[in-house]
Amino acid sequence: MTFQKLVIGASMAIGVSALATVPAQAGTLTGAIIGGTAASDYSVYDVSGNSTVLVPSTQTNVQKVLDGNATNPTGNVELRATTEQPGFDFTKNTTLTGQIGGKSITLSSLTATDWFTTGSGMSTSYGANNFANTWFNEFYNAAGLANNESAIKLAIGLPSFTPSSVIRQLAFNAFYGISGFQRSSDPNISYVNQNDTTGEIKIGLAGHFNLKDYYAPLLGGFGNFLKNGFQASEVVKVTYNDKTDFLYSFSATKSELTNSLGSGADKFSHSGNYEVSIKGVPPAAVPEPSIILGLLGVAGVFATQRKFKKASI
C-alpha cells in the first residue's frame, strides 16, 4: 500500500507539473478571404531575403504571407491598395476576413465615412467631432509639430500670439489636401495572432520605420518641421465579437525588411512593424497529448488500487 501511494503521488505530481508548464500557444488567422465593396483592390507582398516583393493577388498567397509575428514579421496584405492614385473612390473598402480561436474576425480599410462622420453628418473641417480629428491630433503630436509651433509661426509669418489651434487647423488642411487620410486608410496586414491563454489578439501592420522620409516631401512648409524618425501606422478597422475598433500605433520596431525588389519597390516601405491588439475570447482549451497520457496513467493506478482492495476482501 505504501508503494501504491508513492506511485499515485508521483503520477499526480507529474500530471500537475505538465499542466503547469504547458506554454501559451499562439493561434493564427485561418480561412483568409478578401472581400468588401472593392474586393479586387489589394496587393500581396511575400519575402525574398531581406526584401518584401509583390506577388500575385490570390487567396493562396494571402494566407501564405500572414504567418509572421512581432519578432519576425514576414510578408503582408495591403487592403485598398490604390489610395494614392488619382480618382480614388473613398466610399469603398477592402476587407480581410478569417477565423481565429473559433471566431470570425474582419479587418478592413477605412472609408471617408469612417473618418469624417459626426453626430450630425459628415465634416472634413478641423475641430469636428469625428475620428479624423481625434487621430490627426495624435498624429500631429507624434510628428513633433506641437513642439515646433514657434518656429512654424515664424516660418509662415504668423504673430507669436497665434493660438495652437490655428497652427493645427492649417496642418490639418494641408494633410487633407495631400489626401493624407486616404493614404492612412490602406493598412498592410502582416499577421493576426491570438494568445490561446489570455485570448489577446495581436495584429501586425507593416509601415515606414521613419515616416518623415515619406511625408516631408508632401507637406510643404510643415514637412520641414517633422520630427526625425517619427512613426505612425496606417489605420485598420477591426470587427470581432460584435465590436468594431479603429486600431493604430505611433511606435514601431524594425522589421529588418524593406520593399526593395520587384514591381513598385521604393526601398522604404515595410521597414517598420506596428503591433496593435484587442482583447479576444480565449479559445476552448484542448489538453496536450502528454497531459492526457499522464492523467490516464493516474486513472490507471487508481483502477489498479481498487482491484487490489477487491482481491483482499
Side-chain angles (χ1 to χ4, degrees):
M1 291 299 294
T2 301
F3 174 74
Q4 292 171 28
K5 291 179 180 178
L6 288 172
V7 171
I8 293 170
S11 298
M12 293 181 69
I14 291 171
V16 171
S17 175
L19 286 168
T21 58
V22 174
Q25 301 296 311
T28 58
L29 184 77
T30 60
I33 297 174
I34 298 293
T37 51
S40 63
D41 189 16
Y42 71 101
S43 297
V44 183
Y45 294 88
D46 206 338
V47 173
S48 177
N50 291 325
S51 174
T52 56
V53 57
L54 191 67
V55 297
S57 296
T58 65
Q59 299 287 357
T60 299
N61 283 338
V62 168
Q63 186 68 67
K64 178 178 181 290
V65 302
L66 296 173
D67 60 353
N69 55 51
T71 59
N72 184 34
T74 52
N76 63 80
V77 180
E78 182 180 14
L79 304 178
R80 206 65 169 103
T82 63
T83 54
E84 298 176 21
Q85 295 184 10
F88 176 75
D89 186 348
F90 208 5
T91 67
K92 296 182 178 181
N93 72 330
T94 309
T95 63
L96 170 64
T97 299
Q99 297 287 318
I100 191 161
K103 288 186 172 293
S104 177
I105 185 170
T106 297
L107 298 90
S108 175
S109 63
L110 272 65
T111 66
T113 299
D114 294 319
W115 286 104
F116 303 116
T117 296
T118 69
S120 57
M122 296 267 289
S123 174
T124 58
S125 299
Y126 180 74
N129 183 21
N130 53 25
F131 176 66
N133 276 268
T134 298
W135 178 87
F136 181 79
N137 280 319
E138 293 183 58
F139 178 90
Y140 182 93
N141 294 336
L145 295 177
N147 295 327
N148 283 324
E149 288 183 350
S150 295
I152 293 171
K153 293 174 189 178
L154 183 63
I156 61 179
L158 290 176
S160 60
F161 56 80
T162 303
S164 173
S165 59
V166 172
I167 308 300
R168 287 178 181 259
Q169 180 177 0
L170 292 172
F172 182 96
N173 292 341
F175 188 76
Y176 181 81
I178 63 166
S179 301
F181 294 102
Q182 291 176 201
R183 295 171 185 270
S184 303
S185 300
D186 56 339
N188 293 66
I189 314 300
S190 56
Y191 57 85
V192 184
N193 299 332
Q194 181 174 38
N195 184 300
D196 288 349
T197 300
T198 66
E200 183 181 29
I201 296 172
K202 295 182 178 180
I203 300 166
L205 302 175
H208 289 69
F209 188 75
N210 179 4
L211 201 58
K212 182 175 180 176
D213 291 338
Y214 178 80
Y215 273 118
L218 298 172
L219 281 173
F222 284 100
N224 298 326
F225 299 100
L226 295 173
K227 182 174 69 176
N228 289 326
F230 98 89
Q231 297 173 335
S233 73
E234 290 154 334
V235 184
V236 61
K237 181 179 179 179
V238 179
T239 301
Y240 170 83
N241 204 28
D242 298 324
K243 182 182 178 183
T244 296
D245 295 288
F246 296 116
L247 305 180
Y248 52 93
S249 172
F250 295 104
S251 177
T253 56
K254 287 186 176 181
S255 68
E256 307 301 337
L257 299 168
T258 55
N259 180 220
S260 301
L261 296 175
S263 175
D266 61 10
K267 299 184 180 180
F268 294 105
S269 295
H270 312 156
S271 55
N273 180 66
Y274 295 85
E275 187 169 89
V276 295
S277 64
I278 58 172
K279 183 178 180 181
V281 179
V286 178
E288 293 286 322
S290 58
I291 297 175
I292 295 174
L293 290 174
L295 295 176
L296 287 175
V298 173
V301 170
F302 278 113
T304 302
Q305 183 187 36
R306 289 196 296 271
K307 288 181 180 178
F308 283 152
K309 285 183 179 180
K310 184 175 181 182
S312 64
I313 293 175

